[in-house]
Each structure stands twice: as structure tokens, then as C-alpha cells.
Amino acid sequence: VLSLSVLIDGRPDVDVALSARLAEDLFGVVGETSELGSHQDRNFRIRAERGSVVLKVANRSWGRTPLEAQNAALRHIAAADAGFGAPVPIDGVDGHDLYEVEVGGDRIPVRLLTFVEGHPLATHDHLAPELVADLGRLAARTSLALASFDHPGLDRTVQWDLQIAADVVAALLGSVADRSRQALVADRTAAAAVAGRDPIGN
């Protein structure tokens, strides 16, 4: 059964001031703090003396084990020397790389990662073939680096898994108020599902 709790839960109630305090108290990091984008978590860039870092305040629906898996995977990629820059977890003042703090009555997970400079693809008006090819190479290198990785936190159903994309769309389709758009989304999703089952058109 598909759980969409991460999608329907609100983002953590953490602002710039609180994130700066968490970064200092948990990780000993101080610097100019600004919020980065995220639709379900809260991410804050901190320009510290030793370089920029990212404080990640996860949606409470994630749970601890999947986030431990994420941290372990990032360290695995770094150790594999995959040929590209990837963020890595930073230990806090007492040696942990994942904390749970109480905010608004909820226990929410907090981590700190190194910051990787770059530009989101969403800022590009057009994705040139060369850029798309680079993205493919990055995906391949990441897959190769993670081929030997395993962790109990990987056994989790998430909305990003394209194998269950049709189920995710079906669960959220009612949130599209415009009936014509709703029908269009349903039609395109059904077509994509058919193409995915028979990619060569037999």
C-alpha cells in the first residue's frame, strides 16, 4: 500500500533564525544563513568561515533509518571517488551526524552537509544535448558508485520511485481542481505507463 505521508505532511516549522541556532548548537557552525528551496523539507545554506554548508531539516515523515541510509550513501559515494562532487555529512559537536529536535511538538531530523556549488537545471530555459549527456554520465557514475551499497533504510516506498509513478499520480489526482487538466494528467500518465511496459512499441 502506497503511503503518501511525506507528500501531505506540512514542511517543518523552521525559519532562518531557528536554523541558525540549530546549526550553532548542534554543529558549532556560525555564518550568514539563507533558505534554499524544498517542497517538503527545509534547507538552509550557511556561509561559514570554513566554507558553505547546508542544514537539512527533514519532514518528520521520513523517519530516522532512511536518513541514516542517505548519509551512509553519501559517504559511500565519496569513498568511491566517482569523479564528481557530492555532499557529505558533517558530524556535530558530539560526533553524531543526525539529530532529532523538538519543534512545535514534533520530533524532526536535522543534518548538516557540505555544500556543492552549481546551478539547478530548473534555472535553464533549454537543456542542450551536451547538458543532457552530462546528466546521463552523472547518473551512470552515481549508479556505479552505489552498486555495492546496501543499508536497511533503503527498503522504503517513496513517491520518487518511477515504478510506482502511476500510483502516486492516482493518489494525488484529486488535488488538481481543473477537470480538464485532471483528465490530461490522467491520460498522459496512462500513456506513459503503457510505454513503460512496452518501451519498443510491440
Side-chain angles (χ1 to χ4, degrees):
V1 176
L2 176 64
S3 172
L4 295 177
S5 57
V6 171
L7 287 175
I8 62 177
D9 277 357
R11 293 198 299 161
D13 187 17
V14 176
D15 58 14
V16 170
L18 179 53
S19 71
R21 188 159 70 248
L22 291 173
E24 182 175 6
D25 292 347
L26 299 176
F27 298 94
V29 171
V30 177
E32 178 188 347
T33 304
S34 57
E35 184 164 10
L36 302 172
S38 175
H39 80 284
Q40 66 183 27
D41 304 321
R42 304 303 283 256
N43 299 309
F44 301 88
R45 180 178 181 178
I46 303 171
R47 292 173 170 85
E49 285 189 7
R50 63 184 183 187
S52 287
V53 293
V54 176
L55 186 82
K56 294 186 66 65
V57 183
N59 188 295
R60 64 183 176 84
S61 300
W62 272 99
R64 186 178 186 91
T65 305
L67 296 177
E68 290 175 339
Q70 288 184 17
N71 279 356
L74 290 172
R75 288 198 167 96
H76 188 87
I77 290 174
D81 192 19
F84 60 88
V88 293
I90 298 173
D91 288 340
V93 293
D94 61 358
H96 297 294
D97 63 10
L98 175 61
Y99 296 87
E100 291 177 298
V101 299
E102 185 167 334
V103 175
D106 289 327
R107 299 287 294 177
I108 58 175
V110 178
R111 296 177 291 159
L112 193 72
L113 304 180
T114 57
F115 180 81
V116 178
E117 292 285 353
H119 300 283
L121 291 182
T123 63
H124 292 261
D125 294 329
H126 170 70
L127 298 183
E130 296 80 9
L131 182 57
V132 174
D134 282 343
L135 183 60
R137 280 188 285 270
L138 176 62
R141 288 173 179 169
T142 304
S143 296
L144 288 172
L146 291 173
S148 59
F149 178 73
D150 194 19
H151 191 282
L154 299 180
D155 186 18
R156 183 174 185 269
T157 300
V158 294
Q159 71 269 24
W160 309 116
D161 185 350
L162 291 180
Q163 297 177 95
I164 60 169
D167 294 332
V168 174
V169 172
L172 296 177
L173 198 56
S175 64
V176 180
D178 187 307
R179 294 289 184 177
S180 62
R181 287 181 177 271
Q182 190 179 105
L184 178 62
V185 171
D187 180 66
R188 296 295 170 83
T189 302
V194 171
R197 289 192 295 269
D198 188 13
I200 60 175
N202 289 329

